[in-house]
Amino acid sequence: MELTGLLPVLAWLQIFPRLVSSEGTEEPSSSPDPLRPPTLSLGSQDPVYYQGERVSLTCSAPSGKAVTGYRFYRRRGDQTPEELQSPPRASRLELRAETGNQGPYTCQYWRKESGQKIPSMESNKVYITVQAPLVAPTLSLHPPHPFYLHGERVTLMCSAPGDKRLQGYRFYGEQERLIHEEVPAPDGGARLEIVAEMGKAGVYTCAYWTLRSGRHILSEGSRLVSLSVQAPPPAPTLWLDPPNNVYLPGERVNLSCSAPGAQEVTGYRFYKRQPEQGSEELPASRGGPRWEIRAAVGDEGPYTCRYWSRGPGRELPSGLSQPIAIRVMAPPPAPTLWLDPPNNVYLPGERVNLGCSAPGAQEVTGYRFYKRQPEQGSEELPASRGGPRWEILAAVGDEGPYTCRYWSRGPGRELPSGLSQPIAIRVMAPPPAPTLWLDPPNSVYLPGERVNLGCSAPGAQEVTGYRFYKRQPEQGSEELPASRGGPRWEILAAVGDEGPYTCRYWSRGPGRELPSGLSQPIAIRVTDPPRKPSVSLSPDYLAYVAGERVEINCLAPPGASPVEYGLYKNGEPVGSLLGDTGTWLTDLQVNGTRNATRSFSCIYTELIQGRAVPSYASDPVSVSVFLALASPSLRLIPSLPLYMTGETVSAECIIPNGTYVPSAHWVLRDGKPLPEPPEPQLPLNVTPSDSGTYRCGYSTELHGRHLRSPLSNPVPLSVTDPPPQPELSMGPPSGVVSEGLPLLITCMAPGNTSERRFHFYKDGAEIVPGDTGSEISTTEPSTGSMNFSVLSIPRAGPNNAGEFSCGYEANMGGRWIPSPRSQAVNVTVTTWSLPIPVVAGSGGAAMALALLLLLVCLCRKKKAATHRLSTSTDISGVNICFQQTTKGGWPQAASQDWGLLPKLPAEGPRPGRAAGGAAPLKGQKEEDDADSGAEFEFPDIDPTYTQLTFSCSTFRQGQGLSASLEHVCSTPDL
């Protein structure tokens, strides 16, 4: 039993124990004197203490004294003082005031000298008075389980009775072990939470204290409360889904808790850091519940879980699972999201590429795109060097916003980056569609034809460009600049490229050029042309000559329905024929002076879907065209305007130089062929029947063809018989003339229309008038119509005797053709005597000649183109002229004839003279007057011939046979 409870009793009885040695024997009287007593004092000078208060006793040795240790004593009446347990060297003793600790207390100190303990004298007495404790409080456990599991939190609730003014509570465990003091005293009692452990099982009490006179007064302890602790059910298993080593802020993480299979689980709970910071209790499930959290920096955990199973009287929580920390780290930097093309606005149906690019230092493993929410994203795309692209079709209502993220390699997993900045895709309706048209607007086209596609935007649009497409817009032409009426795009029609074709235009919009909707599609139907026809020539030769006419026939193949034929020469069109027959006639020509090759082909046209479609061209037919055979020229040798019967004429066909070698020649007379000559010349012994128009030609060979040249120019050949034989007459007619008398020989030609030249012959030799020493002269007509000539011999002599004849040349077609000679007449010259008749005749003749000469001087007519009278002009005779009539072309003389002059034919007035010997024209009269030097006026005479006789004289003008004749006739007095 402790002595602390006996000290007050001993003090009241004044019984104190005597000091004894450590061996339990009293010290002898001969021992050293005791040490001076110490001083005992209380920590407070309170007259009374309340149970539970702390009491502090202090034992103080006199100053300067060496102290080895201290002892404290409590006296209980007369009993021996009870030594209290205290630290051996401590000078302070701490006590708890209780009713059993009342009484006096003393102390002493001691020191050890020479191996002996020397005690001091007993100190003064100090009395401790303990007052009865306050009423005990009520202690309870919460939750009020019959037993608790290891690790459970248990709340000890201590409540003081009444409305005492409390300062605090104290809780005690087994053997009044203070486990917690100075617990605040809120209204309703104090709570102390402890964790149930196997070592904490036992009984617990509590007390409260109050403050009185500045002192803490402790109440009596509460009744004992027993705390039973047992081991909990086995801990569950906690795991993460997804089981990553690291998580990003905002990621969803599932905590899964699974109890061992033999437990009847009634519930689960999850905890973060402390079990108090858990989720709401979740209902049990077959595989254990899952708790979803969002990873956040600072919420890494650790996380645990437990479950509840059915036990005796309560649900038993299991032990906590192993803790799991959720490592959260900042995500990789957000990528850059961009649009391609980067337009401010898009049109419905446009392809828009979203491009996502991670910063350069990241090791990217994949990308993903999102629209509005990340849950509405595309499938994960593999990473690429520049970041993947995701193509979408712009549509109204799908404007976004769009974002993207990427995955990079992290600790044990692929880490998603933060979302990129959102991008909205603004979508608006496109400009109205343009109009697409074809030029030419055919229903069907042929391969290789040029077709123009025309695209026209509505008038209100500000067009910046056009584009054409075939089948798909991606297969289009290069962008063309806009023009006033819309651009045109030329294509070559081909089978397989029928289209359909469309077009669109671009107009200025907000921040970009907006493509319009596609125009209505137009299909270009392409069909092969109709089958080619065949072409033939008639006649069909290997070679032709220029100028030949050939018939060209174009024939469509069977089954064709031609409506028109077309002909081509050397690839150029030369003509067309409507209908189902194609036949042309053409004249072949050469190139100037060179041979040529002509190529003929043809086509035909059929109606296909209302369009006239030309066929393929026929195989060409080549034609070699050689120079035309040149026309020869025909030459007559000799070349005369007129030929006489019996003359030999050669008709020579002259062939021009060229490429042709003649193989034969031929001559035509009046279109009728003559026997072909072996040589180019054809000799002819002409007769009048040979007269006509002559032509010639030649023939040659050309590539197996026998060719005939064109005819030469016509050459006339005129053949005539010699002029009629003239008639020679004598004056005198007997041919006998006296010497010295004049001799007149007249040569009369038949007819009076041709121009003539007369010739006289004596003894076969031609007499040349005017020869030197000759007195013979001839008188010829002055106009071509006169048909006689007179040979005058003024004085006949013996040398004039002989055989005389004459002939003449007639101008026929420009040629002087001699006539046969007249019959010869013999002239006899006799010496003469002068009988009276002769003399009388001679006198009359002389008179007549004198009168005629006078007439000539007064009345001679001179033409403007005639020469003056020759000085050799002689009067050859005088004849009385009568009006003549022509019978059979020969002149007939009147009945009266002096026999001196030839008979003159009756003829009309000569030029420049009035008929019947009328006066000459004024102009001619002036010439005559000027020539004669006299003025003479002929009376007007009726030009009617009558049966009158008058004297005439014939004069010769000029020289030789070409001299002209002047006839002067005297006019009788009427």
Side-chain angles (χ1 to χ4, degrees), residues 836-856:
I836 294 175
V838 174
V839 172
S842 299
M847 183 178 294
L849 289 175
L851 291 174
L852 182 61
L853 180 60
L854 177 60
L855 228 86
V856 167

Side-chain angles (χ1 to χ4, degrees), residues 5 100 105 146 171 201 265 343 429 517 545 575 592 608 669 757 829 843 945 973:
Y105 288 81
F171 292 88
V265 179
N343 298 329
V545 294
I608 300 178
R669 180 179 65 203
R757 294 186 301 195
V829 179
Y945 291 101
D973 294 331

Side-chain angles (χ1 to χ4, degrees), residues 18 57 93 124 127 132 233 371 522 592 663 668 708 723 794 803 818 875 892 940:
R18 294 188 327 182
L57 296 174
L93 175 65
N124 59 305
Y127 290 89
K371 181 178 70 175
I522 293 181
S663 60
L668 298 178
R708 294 171 65 87
E803 185 181 69
I875 298 174
Q892 301 296 322
D940 293 334

Side-chain angles (χ1 to χ4, degrees), residues 686-760:
V686 296
T687 63
S689 62
D690 293 325
S691 297
T693 300
Y694 283 76
R695 289 184 169 185
C696 75
Y698 61 94
S699 58
T700 185
E701 298 293 329
L702 177 65
H703 292 280
R705 293 183 59 193
H706 183 73
L707 302 179
R708 294 171 65 87
S709 72
L711 294 175
S712 65
N713 290 331
V715 175
L717 188 147
S718 298
V719 181
T720 184
D721 291 328
Q725 185 180 26
E727 181 180 324
L728 186 67
S729 59
M730 301 290 291
S734 62
V736 178
V737 62
S738 298
E739 183 179 2
L741 291 178
L743 176 62
L744 298 178
I745 302 173
T746 300
C747 186
M748 180 71 70
N752 57 358
T753 58
S754 62
E755 187 179 1
R756 299 177 179 84
R757 294 186 301 195
F758 289 86
H759 301 273
F760 292 90

Side-chain angles (χ1 to χ4, degrees), residues 609-929:
Q609 291 189 353
R611 180 190 174 187
V613 178
S615 69
Y616 284 113
S618 67
D619 294 332
V621 174
S622 295
V623 175
S624 297
V625 183
F626 291 82
L627 294 172
L629 276 68
S631 298
S633 60
L634 181 64
R635 181 175 62 178
L636 298 178
I637 303 173
S639 178
L640 299 174
L642 187 64
Y643 298 90
M644 290 192 306
T645 302
E647 285 187 318
T648 299
V649 181
S650 294
E652 182 181 17
C653 194
I654 302 173
I655 300 173
N657 295 329
T659 58
Y660 297 102
V661 177
S663 60
H665 305 80
W666 35 272
V667 179
L668 298 178
R669 180 179 65 203
D670 293 333
K672 296 180 179 180
L674 300 178
E676 291 188 5
E679 298 296 335
Q681 289 188 357
L682 174 65
L684 298 173
N685 193 4
V686 296
T687 63
S689 62
D690 293 325
S691 297
T693 300
Y694 283 76
R695 289 184 169 185
C696 75
Y698 61 94
S699 58
T700 185
E701 298 293 329
L702 177 65
H703 292 280
R705 293 183 59 193
H706 183 73
L707 302 179
R708 294 171 65 87
S709 72
L711 294 175
S712 65
N713 290 331
V715 175
L717 188 147
S718 298
V719 181
T720 184
D721 291 328
Q725 185 180 26
E727 181 180 324
L728 186 67
S729 59
M730 301 290 291
S734 62
V736 178
V737 62
S738 298
E739 183 179 2
L741 291 178
L743 176 62
L744 298 178
I745 302 173
T746 300
C747 186
M748 180 71 70
N752 57 358
T753 58
S754 62
E755 187 179 1
R756 299 177 179 84
R757 294 186 301 195
F758 289 86
H759 301 273
F760 292 90
Y761 303 91
K762 179 178 178 290
D763 298 330
E766 184 178 0
I767 300 174
V768 179
D771 284 346
T772 303
S774 173
E775 295 181 354
I776 300 173
S777 63
T778 60
T779 301
E780 295 186 8
S782 60
T783 63
S785 61
M786 299 302 291
N787 57 353
F788 68 92
S789 180
V790 178
L791 175 64
S792 63
I793 302 174
R795 291 176 296 277
N799 59 340
N800 295 125
E803 185 181 69
F804 285 84
S805 63
C806 74
Y808 64 91
E809 291 178 294
N811 189 350
M812 303 176 69
R815 178 185 178 189
W816 295 97
I817 299 178
S819 68
R821 293 185 184 183
S822 66
Q823 294 180 357
V825 175
N826 289 321
V827 174
T828 304
V829 179
T830 62
T831 57
W832 60 293
S833 61
L834 294 173
I836 294 175
V838 174
V839 172
S842 299
M847 183 178 294
L849 289 175
L851 291 174
L852 182 61
L853 180 60
L854 177 60
L855 228 86
V856 167
C857 293
L858 296 177
C859 307
R860 184 177 59 83
K861 179 180 181 292
K862 180 181 179 182
K863 292 184 181 180
T866 60
H867 300 283
R868 295 183 182 274
L869 290 175
S870 174
T871 56
S872 61
T873 301
D874 298 324
I875 298 174
S876 58
V878 177
N879 187 18
I880 300 300
C881 299
F882 296 93
Q883 185 176 9
Q884 303 290 318
T885 60
T886 302
K887 292 181 180 181
W890 291 95
Q892 301 296 322
S895 59
Q896 297 182 2
D897 187 0
W898 293 351
L900 297 178
L901 294 177
K903 281 61 175 183
L904 297 175
E907 57 182 356
R910 293 168 50 216
R913 185 177 299 274
L921 299 176
K922 182 178 180 181
Q924 190 168 0
K925 178 177 179 297
E926 291 176 356
E927 292 179 1
D928 296 340
D929 293 344

